[in-house]
Amino acid sequence: MLFRTIGFAVAALLASNGVVQAAFSSSSPNVMYYWGQNSAGGSSTQESLASYCEKNQVDVVLLSFLHIFNVGGLPGINLSNACETYFDGTTLLNCPSIGTDIKTCQSKGVKIVLSLGGAAGSYGFSSDAQGQTFAQTIWDMFGGGSAAKKPFGDAQIDGVDLDIEGGSSAGYAAFVTAVRSKFASNPNFLVGAAPQCPFPDAILGSVINSVGVDYVNVQFYNNYCSAVGNSFNFDTWANWATSTSPNKNVKVYFTIPGSTTAAGSGYAPMSTLKTIVPQLASKYPGVYGGVSVWDASQAFTNGNFASELYSLVKGSGGGGSPSTTKTSTTTTSSATKTSTTAAVPSNSSSTTTVAPTTSSSAATPTQTSSTCVSAGQTCTTSGQYVCTSGGAYAVCNHGKWSVTSCPSGTACITTSDGASIYCGYATGSNTCASVSSNEILRMTLGSTGRVIPKAYQASQVSAQLTVASADAESFELVLNARRVVDTPFQKQVTIEFTAPKNVKFTSVEDGSVRQTGSRVRIQAQNAYNESMSIVRTIKGSIGSGVFVAPNPVSMRFK
């Protein structure tokens, strides 16, 4: 009782100073970080697991990743430079220091969750029986089982996270049911999933519809539905949580990149997050679970991003208690990354359109009229492009709107930065209405008037093509391709498609582009020997008109 009284006194003292110790809460928003991959890439950008827990700015750490299942045998784990020692005669990591760190984190109330999957590696199940077998492996090696080789010693994990980037959905529901049974002695054991924001997720969609999970870390980046554009679809996931999920208490986390270099697209600067997070907490108090970040190495070297985010999420405006707002900040040796201010989305019943820009700065949102523009109407901003009725687009030319139809089969879509438009293959239709530059959650405040880019379905691959930016002369897009079978991409990935006549593809991140006439061939170098997904930024030029997306039926992956 004495220790308990002392504990209360310490807690009260911390609260009076605006600082509390981080700890997972099932009743208020949390901050999660993926840790282990050191995606920032520096020799000192990834700190030890315990050091992050000691910063009091994280409630859950997701160990990333167990990326090779090898059902029935020893699995494969990759934690980058955090652990590089193996059990003798095996390829299984032996990380006793991480086991010690796990216990340190848990002593501070921070949950440690093992994330399965990721972009790299080879994983998946062929049957429910394999899923059940693998649940036993997880219990034996990371729980209270009796495996001879335990990567983290006798430390036990607090949950599992399905970050399934590719493969089939077979066996995962059975795995979830079985792993809950194995860890039944821990009533607070967490099972989560990390679907991408296009709904439903190509792989995990059927899994989370059939078996209850405790949370979903919806990846709002590298896709058209990021928070910085006009198609942010948190509302869709919130509706799924309350109407479809078997667990009606499931929490939806707003998962974001920790810096501009953490993802191909979708990074939201703190100025934008300070508008978004309070609105999510206010609009979805029973569904919104907090913020999840990819990854610790990026966020904690991005100036004061991590400390400001924790204060935001845990403060009263972010859905937490005022007493949990932290006043301390963390200073890192890395320089603060400079970010442009994202275009501000509008209310969901409208289409935000702004003038395309050739500068590196994000465009300033321009308010549209209360109805769709029509040919001949007066306009004031020369060169401004807007989507209008019937899937067409309009451009302001010498004070008058000129309306042009998108090519057959395509419709006008807003770029993911919210600053321009393009013609792409989509479902839905635009609804034109006046907008407010003060409203950041265009698509979470209702779901009318939404144009959704169609996925590119090729043999054994599902891909999303997200046009990040475009102007009168150039474009930049992000191709996010995922295997939908259990065989991974290899060291080199070939992508072929037919380009519209007015578009020239010129460069790709980590690869080469060759375009002969309308035929495009991209050779993308895979950073891994095997991977279940691949994300690449592709750039090019526009000869006339606006960017037009490639025809989905022409897309091939080899």
Side-chain angles (χ1 to χ4, degrees):
M1 180 62 73
L2 175 61
F3 291 121
R4 185 179 181 188
T5 303
I6 293 173
F8 285 149
V10 171
L13 177 61
L14 290 172
S16 69
N17 287 297
V19 179
V20 298
Q21 182 163 308
F24 176 81
S25 171
S26 60
S27 58
S28 61
N30 298 288
V31 177
M32 296 187 180
Y33 280 95
Y34 286 86
W35 172 88
Q37 285 303 292
N38 188 25
S39 71
S43 59
S44 60
T45 50
Q46 178 167 272
E47 300 176 38
S48 69
L49 173 61
S51 70
Y52 290 110
C53 297
E54 290 166 349
K55 295 177 188 294
N56 292 331
Q57 294 171 5
V58 57
D59 305 309
V60 179
V61 177
L62 301 117
L63 306 181
S64 313
F65 292 104
L66 190 157
H67 67 306
I68 298 174
F69 287 179
N70 188 27
V71 179
L74 295 177
I77 306 170
N78 183 293
L79 297 173
S80 186
N81 60 349
C83 179
E84 298 177 291
T85 58
Y86 300 87
F87 286 102
D88 290 343
T90 76
T91 56
L92 178 65
L93 287 180
N94 181 14
C95 315
S97 63
I98 292 180
T100 300
D101 282 3
I102 288 174
K103 293 178 181 180
T104 298
C105 292
Q106 290 170 335
S107 72
K108 296 179 176 297
V110 179
K111 283 189 175 290
I112 303 299
V113 174
L114 180 62
S115 189
L116 313 180
S122 177
Y123 51 80
F125 306 122
S126 62
S127 64
D128 286 352
Q130 281 202 338
Q132 292 162 350
T133 297
F134 196 63
Q136 183 67 50
T137 298
I138 296 298
W139 168 250
D140 288 341
M141 299 183 71
F142 306 100
S146 57
K149 296 179 177 64
K150 292 193 171 189
F152 308 136
D154 63 354
Q156 296 190 29
I157 58 174
D158 297 307
V160 292
D161 173 76
L162 299 178
D163 188 1
I164 307 305
E165 304 280 346
S168 72
S169 59
Y172 285 106
F175 167 79
V176 169
T177 300
V179 82
R180 281 201 190 278
S181 176
K182 300 297 180 184
F183 284 84
S185 58
N186 180 358
N188 298 313
F189 188 80
L190 294 175
V191 177
Q196 297 189 16
C197 60
F199 185 87
D201 184 87
I203 296 141
L204 288 171
S206 61
V207 177
I208 60 178
N209 282 350
S210 61
V211 66
V213 293
D214 299 302
Y215 68 84
V216 286
N217 281 340
V218 183
Q219 299 176 37
F220 291 104
Y221 55 90
N222 286 340
N223 280 296
Y224 67 87
C225 34
S226 72
V228 296
N230 289 342
S231 298
F232 184 39
N233 66 345
F234 195 96
D235 65 311
T236 299
W237 287 96
N239 180 66
W240 165 83
T242 56
S243 64
T244 305
S245 171
N247 177 15
K248 295 301 184 288
N249 293 316
V250 65
K251 302 300 180 185
V252 179
Y253 279 74
F254 175 39
T255 307
I256 58 174
S259 76
T260 57
T261 58
S265 66
Y267 173 72
M270 188 55 61
S271 58
T272 301
L273 294 177
K274 286 180 178 178
T275 305
I276 295 175
V277 169
Q279 291 194 50
L280 291 178
S282 174
K283 180 70 177 179
Y284 308 105
V287 173
Y288 164 70
V291 177
S292 181
V293 185
W294 176 264
D295 67 350
S297 71
Q298 299 274 359
F300 282 87
T301 55
N302 184 13
N304 291 328
F305 181 92
S307 60
E308 290 187 36
L309 178 66
Y310 200 80
S311 295
L312 176 64
V313 174
K314 305 300 279 192
S316 57
S321 167
S323 65
T324 63
T325 303
K326 298 178 64 65
T327 58
S328 62
T329 58
T330 299
T331 302
T332 68
S333 59
S334 299
T336 301
K337 297 181 185 299
T338 302
S339 306
T340 57
T341 300
V344 182
S346 69
N347 186 279
S348 64
S349 62
S350 59
T351 300
T352 302
T353 51
V354 298
T357 175
T358 57
S359 72
S360 59
S361 300
T364 302
T366 302
Q367 183 166 315
T368 67
S369 62
S370 59
T371 59
C372 289
V373 303
S374 59
Q377 283 185 331
T378 301
C379 58
T380 57
T381 306
S382 181
Q384 179 185 1
Y385 284 81
V386 301
C387 289
T388 187
S389 60
Y393 65 91
V395 59
C396 184
N397 188 13
H398 301 294
K400 300 287 185 181
W401 286 113
S402 174
V403 176
T404 303
S405 296
C406 282
S408 177
T410 68
C412 184
I413 305 173
T414 306
T415 54
S416 67
D417 65 0
S420 190
I421 59 93
Y422 70 102
C423 293
Y425 295 84
T427 59
S429 61
N430 290 308
T431 299
C432 304
S434 60
V435 303
S436 168
S437 61
N438 293 321
E439 293 176 323
I440 194 70
L441 299 183
R442 175 179 187 272
M443 301 316 291
T444 65
L445 302 180
S447 55
T448 60
R450 178 177 300 177
V451 175
I452 300 175
K454 290 182 178 179
Y456 283 64
Q457 304 292 352
S459 175
Q460 301 183 341
V461 175
S462 178
Q464 284 285 347
L465 187 152
T466 301
V467 181
S469 62
D471 56 40
E473 299 177 349
S474 63
F475 65 89
E476 179 176 315
L477 62 85
V478 175
L479 182 67
N480 184 344
R482 309 170 68 186
R483 297 288 288 177
V484 292
V485 294
D486 291 338
T487 53
F489 288 118
Q490 299 302 309
K491 190 67 175 176
Q492 181 172 276
V493 181
T494 301
I495 308 161
E496 296 178 339
F497 54 85
T498 301
K501 294 180 180 180
N502 68 325
V503 174
K504 178 73 173 179
F505 288 80
T506 58
S507 66
V508 62
E509 174 190 11
D510 296 330
S512 61
V513 178
R514 184 178 67 184
Q515 182 169 343
T516 304
S518 62
R519 291 300 300 166
V520 179
R521 182 183 178 91
I522 294 175
Q523 299 277 10
Q525 300 303 315
N526 196 345
Y528 311 101
N529 290 327
E530 295 181 321
S531 69
M532 301 305 287
S533 67
I534 185 169
V535 177
R536 287 294 180 270
T537 299
I538 305 171
K539 299 180 180 180
S541 60
I542 303 170
S544 61
V546 300
F547 176 77
V548 180
N551 193 318
V553 300
S554 70
M555 189 76 69
R556 299 287 185 274
F557 290 85
K558 300 178 181 178

